[in-house]
Amino acid sequence: MVVKTLQDLNTLVSLSKRRGFVFQSSEIYGGLGSCWDYGPIGSILKMNVKRAWWNAMTRRSDIVGLDAAILMHPTVWKASGHVDGFSDPLVDCKDCKTRFRADNTESYLTKKQCPQCGSKNLSEERNFNLMFKTHMGPLEDTGSVVYLRPETAQGHFVNFINCQQSSRYKIPFGIAAIGKSFRNEITPGNFIFRTREFEQMEMQYFVKPGTDEGFFNEWKERRLNFYLKFGIKKDNLKFHDHEKLAHYARAATDVEYKFPMGYSELEGIHNRSDFDLTQHMKFSGKSLEYFNEATKEKYIPYVIETAVGCDRLILAFMCDAYREEVTVQKDETTGKESEDIRIVMGFHPEIAPIKVCVLPLSKKEELTVPAMKIRDQLAEEFDVQYDETASIGKRYRRADEIGTPFCVTVDFETANDGAVTVRHRDKMTQDRIQISQLNTYVANGLRNFNT
Ligand code: GAP
């Protein structure tokens, strides 16, 4: 058997549509530029990814959760620097009308040429702010302008004192949040890698100045271990330390994943110094200093930030999980050889959207009725699918294609022995299990899936 990994993002785009992971937004109207909808399987996958991150962050004794509003006071974005500085340099080709970024387009940087048609008839560079603007209330005057947040992080900074005082946590402590962010990207693309509406999972860890370097290194290690724990292959991950830093940053690194288009940023880990809290103190006139009761010290904390896009992580999980198992089969009578391909999404069991698929061997009522009962029994604890159409082989393949760890087959023996056959997605082993023991078997099996 030969095992092939994912070579091309298009393979994933078509699998996503076929099996209900991700659909193009507003597809019946021709779609909307780089917006995507998560389907019946994808929406469960997304929840599992968020839960994995959320639990890793907030089940610690030093991190609290937050769910801040998308719309924030417009001065927040003045203080953060987004109104004046969150922009990309943009150039228009006057011949073919292509619009592209001036700072990362090879043909423009080297030859001042349009990347599409090669023309040199180009506009001046203009700065294009990436924040989406809207108006609050009925009047569209400048006084009512608000922004769709381009990052969740500012919610953490403006709530620093609220979270610290209500939880009574002492520094070092962190605030974690998951939520939508919006950026009017000039060049979105690569499926759900770069979109204009996306979800971020960000954590700000507030520390005493002087201890920041140590915590920055700790968080680098923790975040790498998170990816390894959930099954991402070590060889597909690397750190990329930034040499050129933003004016407020003392250190920055990206966790990069080897996507089919090459190594690209998955997560940013930054030492943001006391920049954000200082700015918000200046613009709001409120103190965001921390007071240590025990030592009587008062200071503005430094912040170590870990920021990952949920959608981008889903893409990494999908790319990493995809495999094709190719076996050459020989026809006994004709001697002809043909390829049999099993497509498997080898998700970590906690990430896999559906944990168990229940399959009656035939559509006869004597099997479908108990099979539905077993489905209901399992659904009390797990996300379950029920599938009764097509041959058993085809149904196994359908379950493999969405990464279902276990398939449960109800057969004509079930009524006599009160048992079902459970098949393991990766090992392809089969066990005969009593229905009364099935939930426990699946729970244990998920916990020890790879052992
Ligand atoms: N608060 C810091 C911050 O937002 P960032 O590097 O701009 O840092 C963090 O974004 C993460 O959010 C990125 O590493 C990426 O995973 C995700 N992200 C950023 N822009 C995105 C986009 N347009 N589409 C999808 N994910 C995006």
Side-chain angles (χ1 to χ4, degrees):
M1 184 179 71
V2 178
V3 178
K4 294 185 183 166
T5 55
L6 186 75
Q7 301 300 318
D8 177 1
L9 222 42
N10 287 332
T11 309
L12 214 54
V13 177
S14 61
L15 173 85
S16 288
K17 175 161 161 88
R18 195 170 71 244
R19 300 312 319 277
F21 282 100
V22 179
F23 308 129
Q24 196 180 16
S25 162
S26 323
E27 194 189 83
I28 59 167
Y29 288 98
L32 179 67
S34 82
C35 291
W36 300 91
D37 298 339
Y38 288 84
I41 299 300
S43 52
I44 309 176
L45 174 65
K46 194 174 196 187
M47 271 191 216
N48 292 350
V49 170
K50 288 197 236 180
R51 194 180 300 116
W53 183 90
W54 183 258
N55 287 349
M57 287 296 178
T58 64
R59 287 191 177 171
R60 298 167 48 94
S61 58
D62 56 354
I63 298 183
V64 294
L66 175 74
D67 184 350
I70 288 171
L71 301 176
M72 300 181 79
H73 193 289
T75 312
V76 166
W77 307 110
K78 271 259 164 217
S80 67
H82 284 83
V83 170
D84 297 323
F86 193 55
S87 50
D88 283 339
L90 190 79
V91 173
D92 284 304
C93 173
K94 291 181 185 164
D95 289 338
C96 76
K97 311 293 178 217
T98 296
R99 181 166 283 185
F100 58 91
R101 268 174 69 171
D103 58 339
N104 67 1
T105 304
E106 186 71 22
S107 62
Y108 179 76
L109 289 171
T110 53
K111 298 185 236 149
K112 291 282 176 268
Q113 279 184 346
C114 168
Q116 196 63 35
C117 70
S119 165
K120 293 198 168 187
N121 189 14
L122 306 173
S123 74
E124 291 291 305
E125 285 181 24
R126 314 174 266 127
N127 274 335
F128 172 75
N129 195 296
L130 301 185
M131 280 198 294
F132 280 97
K133 252 187 216 169
T134 185
H135 294 89
M136 192 168 247
L139 292 177
E140 288 202 4
D141 58 12
T142 48
S144 64
V145 164
V146 287
Y147 301 94
L148 300 188
R149 67 178 174 203
E151 62 172 14
T152 56
Q154 297 305 321
H156 305 55
F157 299 129
V158 300
N159 280 296
F160 164 62
I161 293 291
N162 283 338
C163 289
Q164 192 270 320
Q165 290 183 348
S166 61
S167 65
R168 290 181 293 110
Y169 277 18
K170 291 185 179 57
I171 271 177
F173 89 98
I175 303 177
I178 301 177
K180 290 264 182 171
S181 293
F182 302 82
R183 296 182 190 179
N184 202 356
E185 301 277 5
I186 299 165
T187 46
N190 285 323
F191 193 28
I192 51 173
F193 178 82
R194 179 169 285 111
T195 53
R196 295 193 170 106
E197 173 181 342
F198 55 99
E199 213 148 348
Q200 284 188 308
M201 307 192 287
E202 294 200 86
M203 193 280 302
Q204 323 296 130
Y205 202 69
F206 299 87
V207 306
K208 186 177 170 186
T211 62
D212 45 309
E213 205 180 317
F215 283 116
F216 177 76
N217 291 328
E218 263 184 33
W219 277 104
K220 270 178 76 172
E221 196 181 315
R222 266 189 210 126
R223 294 305 301 146
L224 186 69
N225 287 338
F226 170 85
Y227 295 119
L228 298 176
K229 176 183 169 190
F230 287 101
I232 298 218
K233 296 173 196 89
K234 202 173 182 179
D235 288 349
N236 290 338
L237 290 166
K238 67 172 189 191
F239 285 118
H240 171 227
D241 294 330
H242 289 212
E243 275 154 28
K244 230 175 99 189
L245 295 175
H247 60 282
Y248 54 80
R250 285 172 59 99
T253 194
D254 291 339
V255 180
E256 291 192 340
Y257 177 76
K258 196 176 176 187
F259 291 98
M261 63 277 187
Y263 272 107
S264 310
E265 175 184 342
L266 173 61
E267 167 160 352
I269 303 170
H270 313 118
N271 178 346
R272 297 181 68 117
S273 70
D274 58 2
F275 172 80
D276 305 272
L277 292 180
T278 305
Q279 284 294 98
H280 286 304
M281 280 176 66
K282 207 161 92 189
F283 279 75
S284 68
K286 303 274 167 18
S287 172
L288 298 176
E289 282 176 305
Y290 172 77
F291 180 64
N292 184 328
E293 295 279 352
T295 61
K296 306 294 177 214
E297 285 173 294
K298 203 175 186 186
Y299 55 84
I300 304 172
Y302 269 36
V303 171
I304 307 301
E305 167 182 82
T306 73
V308 56
C310 178
D311 314 80
R312 205 173 277 188
L313 178 52
I314 289 171
L315 185 63
F317 273 129
M318 291 183 80
C319 291
D320 218 70
Y322 183 92
R323 68 172 187 264
E324 290 175 11
E325 295 176 0
V326 185
T327 326
V328 176
Q329 290 176 332
K330 200 169 182 178
D331 190 305
E332 294 286 308
T333 42
T334 63
K336 263 194 179 167
E337 285 190 346
S338 62
E339 273 190 350
D340 174 64
I341 302 174
R342 180 170 93 109
I343 296 172
V344 186
M345 288 299 259
F347 290 124
H348 182 280
E350 271 186 56
I351 299 297
I354 302 293
K355 310 299 186 205
V356 202
C357 187
V358 179
L359 318 165
L361 202 59
S362 104
K363 272 189 186 172
K364 291 201 171 112
E365 255 184 37
E366 65 175 295
L367 294 193
T368 58
V369 171
M372 272 308 271
K373 259 183 144 172
I374 291 167
R375 193 219 79 90
D376 293 346
Q377 172 188 317
L378 286 163
E380 283 177 15
E381 284 179 67
F382 311 104
D383 284 302
V384 186
Q385 250 188 1
Y386 174 84
D387 190 358
E388 62 174 29
T389 42
S391 71
I392 194 77
K394 276 201 180 132
R395 284 183 276 162
Y396 278 151
R397 292 296 165 92
R398 280 206 285 254
D400 294 337
E401 228 184 9
I402 59 166
T404 307
F406 292 110
C407 284
V408 168
T409 305
V410 180
D411 55 34
F412 292 100
E413 269 306 296
T414 300
N416 303 326
D417 65 0
V420 287
T421 302
V422 186
R423 169 210 187 243
H424 190 287
R425 179 194 72 201
D426 292 350
K427 295 177 191 152
M428 306 272 270
T429 47
Q430 304 207 345
D431 285 332
R432 194 81 186 158
I433 304 296
Q434 286 295 306
I435 296 167
S436 59
Q437 296 301 310
L438 190 56
N439 286 34
T440 311
Y441 176 91
V442 171
N444 288 338
L446 291 171
R447 228 172 283 127
N448 305 308
F449 197 68
N450 296 315
T451 55

